[in-house]
Amino acid sequence: MANLIIPPRWRIPEHDVTPEAVFRNRRQFLRDLGFAGTGLLAAASFGLAHAADAPAATGTNSPAAGVKYPAPRNPKFNDPALKLTPEEYPAHYNNFYEFSTTKDRVYRLVDKFTTDPWTVEITGLCEKPMTVDARELLAQFPLEERVYRFRCVEAWAMIVPWTGFPLARLIEKAQPKSSAKFVKFVTAKRPDQMPGIERLRGYPWPYAEGLRLDEAMNDLVLVASGIYGKPLPKQHGAPLRIVVPWKYGYKSIKSIVRIEFVATQPETLWETLSPEEYPFESNVNPAVPHPRWSQATERLIDTGDRVPTLPYNGYGEFVSKLYGKG
Ligand SMILES: Nc1nc2c(c(=O)[nH]1)N[C@H]1C(S)=C(S)[C@@H](COP(=O)(O)O)O[C@H]1N2
Ligand SMILES: [Mo]
């Protein structure tokens, strides 16, 4: 493991993060439409939009150009106590090692990465395996927006609105066999389009992650196609990524090409590199320090404020039952 590169600790936000104040949240969107954006209205309108109603693809290099954005926000995941991180911070502060280990370089290196068309394979121990284009996959499910906390193992955090659908809907469609106990996710491996792969030659590419099947079925897990009411920018994992908000960020794997049902715990990139630091389960837990730093607090990437880290990243009511503590 001579060329193992340990991810850097969180760093001061990069000097070139320029506030552009471009993000208009859904409430503003509703206001623009002439509604007095209330929770009641959000609840009433939720569930109306469906990707299948979308107009034909527009031919842009946006994987979900045929999908209507923004999707209705799910009132269940719209906690008014959560203040959204302004869009430009997450967009310029990325972990995507296939491109760069320097967070503010990732978004500058994704131009050559082609994310449309994009094929996703659902395979392994299931009755209904399928190989589908990302657009067609998205068209099969109603999309919704959810505001989630996001906590990286490096102790930085943000609050962002994802667009997507629960992974559970796709799993139901695939019909896993009773022998399937885990779900493995795999990212594209394209050294010609991803300059970081060649630089980290010792890494076990492609990036892979996994969940227990019961974790994967939890309602919180999203297949995300968008963020801030728009299709995912490439640096966030276009066209489709997984979002697992109660686990450290490395579980939220980007730009997936394969979802595979397997019988035994799959190997993941980070656990293979450093199992004590990046174990498979990796639930956010302020009481368990990383071997090299505390996990008791986290740094918000926009304000720089340091705030307490919550068990399960604040999602205990939804997931603690998975771990026999419900
Ligand atoms: N394929 C792939 N997925 C990945 C990573 C990566 O390097 N490659 N980094 C992970 C880590 S460590 C984090 S914190 C999040 C960052 O997501 P963001 O850049 O969209 O905020 O992506 C995760 N998914
Ligand atoms: Mo991370």
Side-chain angles (χ1 to χ4, degrees), residues 218 246 312 315-326:
N218 188 276
W246 75 95
Y312 301 111
Y315 296 101
E317 62 173 303
F318 301 98
V319 300
S320 57
K321 59 183 180 289
L322 288 168
Y323 309 103
K325 294 161 198 153

Side-chain angles (χ1 to χ4, degrees), residues 8-59:
R9 295 170 189 230
W10 64 268
R11 304 184 308 155
I12 303 298
E14 303 301 332
H15 46 84
D16 59 344
V17 175
T18 46
E20 294 164 71
V22 287
F23 174 60
R24 297 180 311 141
N25 64 21
R26 175 149 174 85
R27 188 162 298 170
Q28 183 63 49
F29 172 75
L30 290 170
R31 245 185 257 130
D32 291 350
L33 291 178
F35 295 107
T38 64
L40 191 64
L41 176 65
S45 65
F46 177 69
L48 295 182
H50 191 290
D53 305 333
T58 60

Side-chain angles (χ1 to χ4, degrees), residues 53-321:
D53 305 333
T58 60
T60 68
N61 190 25
S62 142
V67 172
K68 278 182 196 150
Y69 287 90
R73 189 171 288 179
N74 184 339
K76 205 175 147 194
F77 301 103
N78 192 23
D79 180 351
L82 294 180
K83 193 177 163 292
L84 290 184
T85 305
E87 179 179 2
E88 62 271 19
Y89 289 88
H92 299 160
Y93 191 80
N94 302 102
N95 275 337
F96 203 164
Y97 276 25
E98 287 88 334
F99 294 92
S100 176
T101 55
T102 305
K103 290 178 177 45
D104 73 331
R105 280 180 55 77
V106 173
Y107 77 94
R108 305 172 215 246
L109 292 169
V110 295
D111 280 357
K112 269 203 279 175
F113 181 38
T114 56
T115 57
D116 183 25
W118 185 275
T119 305
V120 183
E121 199 189 351
I122 292 116
T123 181
L125 303 169
C126 63
E127 304 294 345
K128 301 263 153 62
M130 51 185 138
T131 299
V132 283
D133 182 78
R135 286 172 188 269
E136 285 165 30
L137 185 69
L138 281 172
Q140 294 177 35
F141 303 92
L143 299 186
E144 60 180 84
E145 185 172 74
R146 296 185 180 190
V147 175
Y148 277 171
R149 295 187 189 83
F150 188 95
R151 172 51 157 93
C152 174
V153 73
E154 298 163 331
W156 55 265
M158 60 188 185
I159 295 161
V160 298
W162 300 105
T163 305
F165 64 88
L167 175 64
R169 298 292 87 73
L170 177 56
I171 294 177
E172 285 159 7
K173 214 165 248 198
Q175 297 175 27
K177 297 181 176 169
S178 57
S179 52
K181 303 294 182 205
F182 293 85
V183 188
K184 179 179 183 174
F185 309 96
V186 182
T187 296
K189 177 185 174 181
R190 300 189 194 152
D192 53 323
Q193 297 182 7
M194 299 169 147
I197 288 184
E198 181 66 14
R199 296 172 64 114
L200 297 172
R201 231 167 295 158
Y203 275 37
W205 306 110
Y207 195 104
E209 260 304 338
L211 295 168
R212 287 177 359 208
L213 183 57
D214 61 338
E215 293 177 321
M217 287 293 292
N218 188 276
D219 179 56
L220 288 179
V221 183
L222 291 182
V223 178
S225 63
I227 189 169
Y228 294 98
K230 291 173 285 198
L232 282 177
K234 294 176 186 178
Q235 65 270 29
H236 282 305
L240 295 174
R241 74 179 297 172
I242 302 297
V243 175
V244 192
W246 75 95
K247 293 177 181 281
Y248 290 119
Y250 58 90
K251 302 296 286 186
S252 292
I253 179 173
K254 296 177 170 182
S255 302
I256 50 170
V257 293
R258 194 163 91 240
I259 298 176
E260 184 176 356
F261 298 96
V262 294
T264 56
Q265 185 174 302
E267 286 185 5
T268 73
L269 178 132
W270 281 113
E271 200 192 21
T272 303
L273 285 171
S274 188
E276 312 77 38
E277 298 191 305
Y278 311 110
F280 183 85
E281 186 177 83
S282 48
N283 294 327
V284 173
N285 188 345
V288 177
H290 183 277
R292 291 180 287 127
W293 58 83
S294 165
Q295 296 290 28
T297 63
E298 62 203 43
R299 186 182 165 284
L300 301 176
I301 62 172
D302 54 336
T303 61
D305 290 347
R306 200 156 260 284
V307 299
T309 287
L310 302 170
Y312 301 111
N313 202 23
Y315 296 101
E317 62 173 303
F318 301 98
V319 300
S320 57
K321 59 183 180 289

